[in-house]
Amino acid sequence: MEPFSVRSGRTAEVWRVVARVHDPELDEPVTDMGFVEKIEVADDGSVELDFRLPTYWCSPNFAFLMLDGLREALESLPWRPRFHITLHDHLFADEVNKGIAEGKPFAEIFDSLSPLDDLAQLRETFLRKAFQRRQEAALVGLREAGWADDDILALDCGTLDKASVGPELTVRLTRYLDAMRARFPRAADDAAAFVAWEGAPLSAAELPDYLGKLRAVRINMEFNGALCRGLKQARYREKAAADGELTLVDFIPAEPRPDASALERRRAAQS
């Protein structure tokens, strides 16, 4: 039997790698969304993971993409454990669980369930949304920090990576650069940091309209995320009725809205 400290360390490591898996539609960690309900590491190092989505009818495509991401995360663990992932209370739980356990590809599992969907196309759609949401957060954050549009758009990837900014903005820039490099893996440090998803350069003149489009993407993702949180908590009664009536606003994260100090600085500059 392994010592408790070893099991505890391994459990923390499992949670760490699992947190890298994002809901493909929302670009938020499945752990933050509350979809991972349980992780148990046995004495022999094997892992049991329970996964539960907000509703019984959540898209099987999303379920598979997230569960497949969880499988890849668990396979990356250094001690190479045996593991078992279980999807609970879902319309296609039996098919998904069987397919994941057998390592079958998407088409084989879902051909009869979602014959019109293409995995590669779905992945690209979600990656584009994540790229645009993170890009808006980075652009808005730099503007709020006092950067001029021309200076922002003149940044290259290497300079942006080393920019001296506050901790919150650093997180935004890091997340955006991760998405940028995933989209353009051959981009050098001197490549333009801010380009459209298709690779076209941005200009200061078009930036306001471009940000408006990014804002629409972000609002849609925030709404869907709020709906998922609300449905899951309502379904499993995770919030006591004594807390009062909840609305979707209660589940929308603040990011990438400015913090209070940024708003105060803006008001002071306008007064």
Side-chain angles (χ1 to χ4, degrees):
M1 179 180 295
E2 290 184 330
F4 173 77
S5 59
V6 174
R7 295 200 309 276
S8 178
R10 284 182 168 180
T11 300
E13 177 69 5
V14 175
W15 279 105
R16 187 180 68 80
V17 299
V18 164
R20 298 175 187 164
V21 180
H22 284 206
D23 180 303
E25 187 180 29
L26 308 177
D27 190 35
E28 297 185 36
V30 293
T31 49
D32 288 359
M33 295 297 297
F35 296 163
V36 178
E37 291 210 323
K38 182 184 73 174
I39 290 175
E40 290 185 354
V41 179
D43 291 340
D44 63 358
S46 61
V47 178
E48 291 279 343
L49 187 151
D50 287 359
F51 194 75
R52 195 185 307 268
L53 292 169
T55 70
Y56 184 71
W57 57 87
C58 278
S59 167
N61 308 326
F62 300 162
F64 178 82
L65 289 172
M66 285 182 274
L67 288 167
D68 199 42
L70 291 171
R71 182 177 69 182
E72 291 179 354
L74 295 179
E75 287 176 348
S76 74
L77 290 166
W79 67 95
R80 300 290 183 180
R82 290 182 297 103
F83 59 83
H84 185 255
I85 303 171
T86 304
L87 173 64
H88 293 279
D89 300 337
H90 187 271
L91 178 64
F92 298 119
D94 290 343
E95 291 87 346
V96 170
N97 291 334
K98 186 173 185 294
I100 287 291
E102 296 176 356
K104 292 182 179 179
F106 176 89
E108 187 174 347
I109 300 172
F110 288 103
D111 185 54
S112 61
L113 303 178
S114 305
L116 300 180
D117 289 320
D118 178 80
L119 179 59
Q121 185 177 2
L122 282 171
R123 286 191 190 277
E124 181 165 352
T125 297
F126 297 140
L127 288 172
R128 173 177 51 80
K129 288 182 177 182
F131 174 91
Q132 291 173 332
R133 184 181 187 182
R134 295 184 187 195
Q135 188 178 67
E136 189 217 16
L139 288 168
V140 169
L142 288 169
R143 276 180 146 197
E144 290 170 350
W147 290 59
D149 289 350
D150 285 323
D151 293 335
I152 294 173
L153 298 180
L155 288 167
D156 59 42
C157 292
T159 304
L160 185 63
D161 197 17
K162 299 175 183 176
S164 180
V165 295
E168 180 182 348
L169 183 50
T170 295
V171 172
R172 296 190 190 189
L173 299 184
T174 300
R175 280 173 51 80
Y176 169 64
L177 282 169
D178 287 346
M180 172 72 176
R181 287 165 175 155
R183 172 60 176 159
F184 304 104
R186 296 184 180 179
D189 281 349
D190 61 355
F194 291 101
V195 296
W197 172 253
E198 298 80 10
L202 304 176
S203 70
E206 69 181 359
L207 189 58
D209 288 341
Y210 181 74
L211 280 171
K213 295 176 182 178
L214 298 188
R215 180 175 179 270
V217 171
R218 188 246 305 166
I219 289 174
N220 179 264
M221 294 176 73
E222 284 183 349
F223 178 85
N224 288 337
L227 186 62
C228 283
R229 289 185 181 90
L231 286 172
K232 185 176 186 297
Q233 291 197 3
R235 183 184 187 191
Y236 298 110
R237 303 178 183 274
E238 293 174 353
K239 197 163 184 70
D243 288 347
E245 186 73 19
L246 298 177
T247 69
L248 285 177
V249 175
D250 295 305
F251 300 98
I252 296 177
E255 179 71 18
R257 299 171 187 166
D259 59 19
S261 60
L263 290 174
E264 290 300 325
R265 289 195 299 271
R266 182 182 298 173
R267 293 191 186 103
Q270 292 173 346
S271 62

